[in-house]
Amino acid sequence: MTDMLIIGAGPAGLTAAVYGQRAGLRVKVLKGPFGLGQLVQTNELENFPGFVEPLSGFELMDKMEKQAARLGAEILDDTVESVDTSKRPFAVRTSGGVFEAKTVIVATGSHARWLGVEGEKEYRGRGVSACATCDGFFFRGKDVVVVGGGNTAFEDALFLAKICRSVTLVHRRGEFRAAQKSVDIAKADPKIKMKLFCVAEKIEGDVLGVTGITLRNVLDNTVETVPCHGVFVAVGGVPQTDFLKNSGVELLAGGQVKINEKCATNIPGLYAAGDCADPNFRQAVIAAGSGAKAAVEAINHINLN
Ligand code: NAP
């Protein structure tokens, strides 16, 4: 029997584990297929409080995992398949068996959203990627395209501009969600070109991989193919909550777990934190804060039941 079973080992899950252990609970964290979460793909992080100099997402997550483990949390690789919320304790079915838990915190994060255009699936791993930090090195000295106008797209473009011959940033509007500082740096970088008011129609390729991307200008409907070897898709994330379908846990239209201001779901004793429950911010520090909130509420739940 576990007091607090945490599904996911990103900033939300590991922060919840620290709080749970420090309250004297038996805590298990199930990492699942995404390990320490999306943040490990971030090359340089300078907005997480407490670190004077920038650090990589991997460094931060490695520290969080070691901190939770030092306090005694049991961190397992299991992938959750379903949660039976009709039973108390909850029965959480995983790749390795069934865990019983007094409280559950869902902190499964989100994964990359794809464009859904022709050629994208076909050339995934052969020129199409959603992780510049992971795959950028394969395109050193080559021409690449980044699709998106958020912080991820700009971070990817700036990262790729250091190793690639050219980077073309494609965005469907003329304004960006990304931080102004990143936009200004990208605009000043001679290696970065921008194609605004353009959407991807098709990713072109041959037996060797990607050869280009066909774009349609949404203002005048003109179509052009930009030659490139790599296409990096950075158009946001999709919450990883599929395993909760049929569990009775209420989800929002976007797939995020529906929570109140205390991270409680509609199921007493089951909480959610981080990107899997956040349609707005998707920030490491906010995920960590919500993990702490969920843990405090789970601790109170155990004390009162
Ligand atoms: P995001 O902020 O949701 O931006 C997604 C971008 O993709 C938007 O520009 C959106 O266009 C575009 N887009 C969405 N669907 C599209 C489609 N089907 N076709 C073409 N374009 C599409 O996602 P993100 O950049 O991954 O960032 C996610 C969150 O993480 C944000 O809160 C961001 O601030 C945060 N983040 C922070 C940092 C940091 O602080 N260092 C780094 C990375 C990410 P529209 O603008 O037109 O909707």
Side-chain angles (χ1 to χ4, degrees):
M1 167 74 83
T2 303
D3 294 318
M4 183 187 282
L5 186 82
I6 300 166
I7 309 173
L14 291 173
T15 304
V18 166
Y19 276 70
Q21 280 298 139
R22 295 190 78 250
L25 303 185
R26 287 159 297 177
V27 177
K28 281 190 173 64
V29 182
L30 308 182
K31 272 182 165 178
F34 301 101
L36 298 175
Q38 273 205 310
L39 200 61
V40 295
Q41 294 171 10
T42 296
N43 202 33
E44 200 178 84
L45 199 71
E46 67 172 359
N47 58 5
F48 199 90
F51 296 92
V52 178
E53 297 300 327
L55 78 171
S56 73
F58 176 77
E59 281 178 278
L60 179 65
M61 293 319 302
D62 186 51
K63 283 180 195 293
M64 282 197 199
E65 183 181 32
K66 286 182 175 144
Q67 182 186 13
R70 178 181 67 77
L71 288 163
E74 199 179 337
I75 302 171
L76 305 167
D77 288 330
D78 292 49
T79 296
V80 173
E81 288 161 3
S82 62
V83 180
D84 187 342
T85 61
S86 66
K87 289 186 182 156
R88 294 295 181 278
F90 294 110
V92 178
R93 181 170 294 281
T94 76
S95 48
V98 177
F99 291 94
E100 291 194 323
K102 288 184 189 167
T103 62
V104 170
I105 297 177
V106 178
T108 43
S110 63
H111 63 258
R113 174 181 289 128
W114 294 96
L115 295 166
V117 297
E118 199 184 331
E120 183 181 51
K121 230 181 204 164
E122 191 182 342
Y123 292 107
R124 215 179 281 174
R126 294 198 295 139
V128 175
S129 167
C131 180
T133 315
C134 322
D135 300 325
F137 191 65
F138 299 121
F139 301 92
R140 60 194 183 281
K142 297 190 171 169
D143 302 308
V144 298
V145 164
V146 174
V147 184
N151 276 315
T152 303
F154 275 83
E155 281 189 0
D156 287 359
L158 294 170
F159 174 78
L160 291 165
K162 291 207 166 68
I163 50 177
C164 298
R165 185 167 57 188
S166 77
V167 178
T168 304
L169 187 126
V170 173
H171 182 39
R172 61 186 179 186
R173 295 192 290 144
E175 277 133 37
F176 306 106
R177 289 175 196 264
Q180 195 56 45
K181 181 181 169 188
S182 305
V183 175
D184 292 343
I185 296 172
K187 280 184 173 166
D189 190 321
K191 277 193 176 177
I192 301 177
K193 289 175 280 182
M194 297 203 189
K195 293 263 178 208
L196 304 183
F197 299 102
C198 283
V199 291
E201 291 249 291
K202 186 181 174 192
I203 294 169
E204 316 281 348
D206 59 19
V207 284
L208 295 176
V210 167
T211 58
I213 182 166
T214 297
L215 306 175
R216 183 172 54 83
N217 185 304
V218 294
L219 299 179
D220 59 15
N221 261 334
T222 51
V223 171
E224 68 168 320
T225 298
V226 176
C228 64
H229 298 99
V231 173
F232 289 87
V233 179
V235 295
V238 181
Q240 278 152 184
T241 54
D242 278 359
F243 69 98
L244 290 174
K245 281 180 186 151
N246 309 319
S247 67
V249 177
E250 269 185 59
L251 303 180
L252 300 175
Q256 296 86 1
V257 182
K258 187 176 176 190
I259 53 172
N260 67 13
E261 71 289 353
K262 293 182 171 177
C263 292
T265 68
N266 60 313
I267 308 285
L270 193 143
Y271 304 86
D275 286 6
C276 72
D278 187 349
N280 298 311
F281 295 105
R282 302 182 56 234
Q283 296 288 309
V285 66
I286 291 173
S290 71
K293 223 195 257 189
V296 169
E297 287 303 306
I299 295 160
N300 288 339
H301 180 85
I302 289 172
N303 291 341
L304 295 173
N305 286 278

